[in-house]
Amino acid sequence: MNCQSEANEGDYHSHEHEHGHGHSHGGHSHGGHDHSHDEEADTGQADSLYDKVLVDKAWCLNESEPDSIKRVFKPWHERLNITKLVSSDSDPELLVYVPFNGMVKLKSIFVWGGAGDRAPQSIRVFANRDDLDFDSVGEAQPTQEWPLARGARAPVEYPVRPAKFSSVRSLTLHLPSAFADEETMELCFLAFRGEWLPLTADPIISIYELTPNAADHKAPASELAGHHSIS
């Protein structure tokens, strides 16, 4: 099975790894909580950062087709569009760089590689690291990492630790392996939720005095000596 596996429009999943594992599925009750389809649809759009991603500046290492990573940033209503995806080239590993057009306080990440075993098995997330490549990412300490859901038929939401993602300009996502033991990984959907603030301009520093003006210094050291005498 791959990213072309059947996706049900009503499906929605969320994992909360901070407090055990919680799942919510369209039209079903888990753990004593009922969720309607309308509520689930709204969940993905609330605090959406879809239009805050600088898609043109996003990049991916080891993608089989240049710039195909741009296909996975979709509006919520197109989240199950399995015709737009990125697949790995030489082995099942991807490194994705996602810049934002402002400052972000990240709440969660949606990741989906389809219901098949070409989906990524885990994710390592780095905040504000635009210097990583395959040579360095393996030894780097991620801001947060977690295993991904297997066999999900819709995008899964993974909450982040807010304190570690309070001032995010960019994210680097390392997807080190797929569930299947083969050479291809597929990623169908990436999305983010959080609070966004525009970047403020750098403060303007005016230099009023490049050369000291003697007229502005009316108290030479000789005149001040009497005020600091030691008896």
Side-chain angles (χ1 to χ4, degrees):
M1 297 177 66
N2 55 29
C3 202
Q4 302 297 321
S5 301
E6 179 184 1
N8 188 322
E9 182 67 32
D11 285 341
Y12 170 83
H13 305 261
S14 68
H15 283 199
E16 295 185 2
H17 292 275
E18 294 299 305
H19 305 284
H21 296 270
H23 302 266
S24 63
H25 303 267
H28 302 281
S29 173
H30 291 264
H33 299 282
D34 294 322
H35 302 279
S36 70
H37 293 284
D38 291 339
E39 289 171 344
E40 290 162 357
D42 291 341
T43 300
Q45 299 180 80
D47 301 321
S48 171
L49 297 173
Y50 167 71
D51 61 348
K52 310 304 181 185
V53 175
L54 294 173
V55 177
D56 289 342
K57 295 184 178 181
W59 50 257
C60 178
L61 298 184
N62 196 38
E63 57 185 351
S64 61
E65 182 181 344
D67 291 331
S68 55
I69 187 61
K70 295 175 173 54
R71 302 170 183 166
V72 305
F73 302 105
K74 308 167 188 174
W76 184 249
H77 68 276
E78 293 184 14
R79 66 193 181 280
L80 300 181
N81 183 342
I82 56 179
T83 65
K84 298 180 180 180
L85 59 90
V86 58
S87 58
S88 64
D89 187 13
S90 59
D91 52 43
E93 183 177 16
L94 294 172
L95 187 66
V96 183
Y97 175 71
V98 185
F100 297 98
N101 63 2
M103 191 69 70
V104 167
K105 183 177 181 181
L106 192 67
K107 294 181 179 180
S108 62
I109 300 175
F110 287 88
V111 184
W112 189 45
D117 281 349
R118 289 183 177 181
Q121 187 176 25
S122 62
I123 187 170
R124 306 170 71 231
V125 182
F126 302 82
N128 303 321
R129 290 292 303 269
D130 59 359
D131 59 331
L132 296 173
D133 55 25
F134 284 131
D135 292 332
S136 59
V137 70
E139 300 298 324
Q141 181 65 38
T143 310
Q144 190 172 348
E145 61 183 320
W146 53 86
L148 300 180
R150 187 172 191 171
R153 297 177 63 196
V156 180
E157 181 179 19
Y158 299 89
V160 304
R161 299 186 181 101
K164 292 190 173 185
F165 294 90
S166 60
S167 301
V168 176
R169 289 288 310 278
S170 67
L171 293 172
T172 300
L173 312 177
H174 182 213
L175 305 166
S177 62
F179 287 104
D181 186 18
E182 49 184 274
E183 295 184 355
T184 302
M185 173 189 291
E186 293 181 344
L187 182 63
C188 304
F189 184 76
L190 274 179
F192 310 91
R193 292 180 59 209
E195 300 175 15
W196 177 87
L197 289 173
L199 294 176
T200 57
D202 293 332
I204 299 176
I205 301 175
S206 299
I207 302 176
Y208 295 99
E209 183 179 7
L210 297 177
T211 304
N213 187 342
D216 293 336
H217 301 277
K218 299 181 180 179
S222 58
E223 294 181 11
L224 297 175
H227 297 285
H228 299 281
S229 60
I230 300 177
S231 56

